[in-house]
Amino acid sequence: MPRFPRLSLFAAGALSLAGCADSTVFTSADIIAEEAQELGQGNAYGKGRGCATRIPTDVEMDNVNRHLAARKGSGGGGTGGGTGGGTGGSTFTPRTVNVYFHVINAGAGTQNGDIPDSMVQAQVDVLNAAFAGTGLTFTLASVDRTTNAAWYTMGYGSAEEAAAKNALRRGGAGDLNLYSANIGGGLLGWATFPFDYAARPKMDGVVLLASSLPGGSAAPYNLGDTGTHEVGHWAGLYHTFQGGCRSADGVDDTPAEKSAAYGCPAGRDSCSGAGVDPIYNFMDYTDDSCMDRFTAGQVARLQSMFAAYR
């Protein structure tokens, strides 16, 4: 099975944290019910990426930013621009993230979602290439396989998702649980955020369309960067286009973007005066072959998020 290593590029920039040094932490009582979702344009993979990761509310984002700022102010400054916060006031330190991979299938064979170990390892390799330089290294801790027709077609926020995660999830807040299945609705995947963990620890993790893994059939989204995109959310990053031209991704060095980009539209500039859209960023919606970078500001933010919540 071929593997698709990717180079991660970084641009200079700084993270902007909104709010005062208020240490109040906002956690949702129910991160599943009635949350806004970002869906791709169309429900065929050739028409647009579909990511169901919820959109945090403005109040939630403000409170998270205040929490990060308070940690920084108390001496928890991190690396990657000095904006991170460390547990107990310590700085961010590189982490090895254990990956527990749960292959959910409808029967034997790749056509039924029973993907081979080579595809699983290739996905971990893509993550390590994409996150090189962030301080996060991913190691495959285990692979388990479950044949369950209902779980295999789970939807975002469904009873089937909850049942699968409650039965299969392993490890703690800093461990990555990846679930592959034949999710519907034109979706390629979804993730939880670090600040969701305290309220719903069993729901924590990333769900991926099995055919989006390296070597899968969901072209042009079959090089493994759906995994990169969703793990970016799991580490605390928002979409580059969140908030449109008012820019609400919490990062200064990702130019504002009016809406998600699809394909690989070089030179796209959807917000006047903001700079060319960040179409090559892992947190946009472009094709896998177009994505190749996180910015320095995103690295700083994910380090802050990881230190504060994972």
Side-chain angles (χ1 to χ4, degrees):
M1 180 62 59
R3 296 180 181 178
F4 303 85
R6 301 292 296 276
L7 295 178
S8 184
L9 307 178
F10 300 88
L15 170 66
S16 173
L17 291 178
C20 59
D22 178 355
S23 60
T24 302
V25 183
F26 177 90
T27 55
S28 173
D30 187 351
I31 67 171
I32 297 300
E34 297 184 14
E35 297 284 0
Q37 300 178 29
E38 282 291 339
L39 302 178
Q41 293 177 348
N43 60 4
Y45 310 120
K47 293 182 181 178
R49 182 179 296 277
C51 166
T53 299
R54 70 189 187 90
I55 306 172
T57 66
D58 288 345
V59 171
E60 185 172 13
M61 289 188 291
D62 285 346
N63 280 282
V64 167
N65 285 342
R66 290 189 184 113
H67 180 53
L68 297 182
R71 292 171 62 83
K72 178 186 176 185
S74 65
T79 59
T83 56
T87 303
S90 62
T91 59
F92 173 86
T93 55
R95 307 281 191 93
T96 297
V97 178
N98 290 322
V99 178
Y100 297 101
F101 206 108
H102 311 288
V103 178
I104 300 172
N105 60 75
T110 303
Q111 71 277 11
N112 290 311
D114 193 20
I115 57 176
D117 287 347
S118 57
M119 287 181 73
V120 172
Q121 184 60 57
Q123 179 64 75
V124 176
D125 291 345
V126 168
L127 292 179
N128 278 316
F131 283 85
T134 68
L136 300 181
T137 302
F138 301 87
T139 184
L140 187 60
S142 68
V143 180
D144 56 67
R145 298 172 184 278
T146 301
T147 301
N148 186 306
W151 295 359
Y152 183 54
T153 56
M154 72 171 76
Y156 175 82
S158 66
E160 291 75 20
E161 179 194 8
K165 288 183 172 180
N166 274 277
L168 300 175
R169 194 187 186 284
R170 298 182 60 187
D175 298 311
L176 174 60
N177 281 256
L178 284 175
Y179 304 83
S180 66
N182 187 33
I183 57 178
L187 296 174
L188 293 170
W190 61 81
T192 57
F193 290 110
F195 45 84
D196 291 331
Y197 183 83
R200 299 290 294 273
K202 279 289 190 177
M203 297 304 293
D204 184 68
V206 169
V207 178
L208 299 174
L209 181 72
S211 56
S212 76
L213 271 65
S217 60
Y221 308 114
N222 61 343
L223 303 183
D225 281 324
T226 291
T228 303
H229 178 100
E230 299 303 342
V231 174
H233 286 314
W234 180 82
L237 299 179
Y238 306 144
H239 289 132
T240 54
F241 49 86
Q242 184 156 311
C245 290
R246 71 181 177 91
S247 188
D249 71 343
V251 180
D252 280 348
D253 60 1
T254 54
E257 188 176 21
K258 185 175 182 179
S259 60
Y262 298 90
C264 195
R268 182 178 187 251
D269 187 356
S270 59
C271 294
S272 178
V276 175
D277 291 355
I279 67 163
Y280 304 110
N281 197 282
F282 288 121
M283 302 312 295
D284 207 334
Y285 270 6
T286 50
D287 294 352
D288 279 15
S289 60
C290 190
M291 297 177 165
D292 65 7
R293 69 196 68 180
F294 293 113
T295 67
Q298 286 175 314
V299 172
R301 185 163 183 93
L302 73 82
Q303 288 179 346
S304 298
M305 287 280 199
F306 215 88
Y309 297 104
R310 295 201 183 281

